[in-house]
Amino acid sequence: MTQSDVELVVLAQAGDAAALGVLLARHEAGMRAVALSVLGYGPDAEDAVQDTMVVALRRIGEVRDPNAVGSWLRAIVRNTSRTALRKPRAVPVAEPEWFTGPAATPTPEEALDRSSMRDWVWHSIGQLSEPDRLVTLLRYFSDASSYEQIAAVCGVPVGTVRSRLNHARRALAGGLRTAATTAHTDVAAANDARWREGRDVIATAMAGDFERVVRESWWPNAEMIVPGGPRGGRDMAINGMNRDLTAGVRQRLRNVAASGDVLIWETDLISPPDDPEHCPPAALWLQVLREGRVRQLTLFHPVPALV
């Protein structure tokens, strides 16, 4: 017996990745028609459809009227397609009214975190190649989410970013279409550990002992990259942190995104009161690991998305 949209939405909101896959497959033709009507034939239209599938992974918990889930998906595609035309935002979102729920309703991130869908998402991201996983984390889980900023962080052309994201989105969307209900490893404990580690490192750095952290957790031949700037090793990282501390700059951990051997920290940079423009407002630490130790750090200052 074919399940209704309402039944599939309820199951998807409870964390059933297979149900969400059926739902997206059912409405894919309608989503593609909307993208083509706005963008015409070409890769941008396919990007918009694939983007919508990834957005749905994170935001299915916000659907208030399961009967209207098709309209909800098409609204995301329409807004994503319009965004592609004018490019004022970094990450596609649907019309605000679709995402406004009662105050007591958990946020999409909270809903995702409480369900097995979270584990499916992170398991699937973990199956991507390192280059695809890296751009996926930047695109959907960081402030450096525009193609241009991802290209700067990764040191590759924008076209390569687009290609890698297309491949990653297709893998995630394809996985949803064929999703099984097999349970995946709970990632909550690993995520909590990453947050604790990040807080500990930043606290140690702010206490003036960043050198010890680097010596213990970085490989001796680890590389540090500043896009558009210098390259160096562990000494460059230590000296840079010490200069900031001497100038009165402080950092506060704001976000952690990790999958496999790719780890992202986002921090708020707090300039000294007597020099409020001393540094950019934020930093992104993109760390590539080997056997749990840092083998490469890219330090980037994201440009906030336009509102």
Side-chain angles (χ1 to χ4, degrees):
M1 180 177 176
T2 302
Q3 292 174 300
S4 68
D5 278 1
V6 172
E7 291 171 321
L8 290 171
V9 169
V10 170
L11 288 171
Q13 289 180 332
D16 189 332
L20 181 56
V22 173
L23 197 63
L24 292 173
R26 178 178 295 174
H27 292 281
E28 185 173 358
M31 291 189 289
R32 182 167 286 104
V34 171
L36 291 173
S37 71
V38 178
L39 296 168
Y41 288 90
D44 285 345
E46 188 62 26
D47 280 357
V49 174
Q50 302 294 339
D51 254 333
T52 297
M53 291 187 175
V54 178
V55 170
L57 274 171
R58 301 184 65 195
R59 302 195 175 211
I60 190 64
E62 293 182 331
V63 176
R64 292 174 295 168
D65 181 2
N67 278 306
V69 68
S71 297
W72 179 78
L73 290 166
R74 291 190 294 274
I76 298 176
V77 176
R78 185 175 299 109
N79 198 64
T80 300
S81 300
R82 290 170 177 168
T83 295
L85 289 175
R86 61 181 187 268
K87 297 183 179 178
R89 298 180 63 111
V91 179
V93 296
E95 303 297 338
E97 58 267 24
W98 289 102
F99 292 139
T100 303
T105 300
T107 66
E109 290 75 15
E110 290 170 339
L112 180 62
D113 190 59
R114 294 175 187 175
S115 74
S116 59
M117 186 79 78
R118 171 205 61 208
D119 302 323
W120 187 92
V121 170
W122 287 105
H123 172 83
S124 299
I125 291 174
Q127 301 308 299
L128 300 173
S129 67
E130 180 183 297
D132 290 353
R133 187 163 65 250
L134 193 157
V135 297
T136 299
L137 290 175
L138 289 170
R139 174 70 169 169
Y140 296 104
F141 299 95
S142 85
D143 286 343
S145 52
S146 70
Y147 286 167
E148 292 76 15
Q149 292 191 92
I150 296 172
V153 173
C154 298
V156 298
V158 169
T160 300
V161 171
R162 180 187 290 274
S163 175
R164 290 178 182 175
L165 280 171
N166 281 342
H167 189 267
R169 285 190 295 248
R170 288 175 186 276
L172 292 174
L176 271 176
R177 293 187 184 98
T178 59
T181 55
T182 304
H184 300 291
T185 302
D186 186 354
V187 300
N191 186 58
D192 288 345
R194 288 299 194 189
W195 270 97
R196 287 195 300 272
E197 176 189 22
R199 291 192 185 102
D200 288 346
V201 169
I202 297 300
T204 301
M206 294 304 97
D209 202 9
F210 187 58
E211 180 173 0
R212 176 173 61 83
V213 170
V214 171
R215 303 298 181 196
E216 291 176 354
S217 60
W218 290 37
W219 288 98
N221 61 346
E223 182 181 27
M224 179 176 178
I225 301 171
V226 178
R231 287 174 175 250
R234 300 196 303 183
D235 288 343
M236 176 178 161
I238 294 167
N239 293 336
M241 179 64 76
N242 289 340
R243 282 195 301 271
D244 281 349
L245 291 175
T246 299
V249 176
R250 295 294 181 267
Q251 296 196 45
R252 178 174 56 227
L253 187 66
R254 177 168 46 82
N255 181 44
V256 173
S259 180
D261 51 7
V262 177
L263 172 62
I264 294 173
W265 294 344
E266 291 184 288
T267 62
D268 294 321
L269 296 182
I270 305 168
S271 295
D274 58 348
D275 187 9
E277 304 297 325
H278 180 88
C279 60
L284 183 149
W285 303 40
L286 172 60
Q287 300 162 85
V288 180
L289 312 177
R290 186 178 77 244
E291 298 175 8
R293 302 180 71 188
V294 176
R295 66 175 175 85
Q296 184 182 84
L297 167 70
T298 300
L299 185 65
F300 184 71
H301 298 292
V303 176
L306 298 176
V307 178

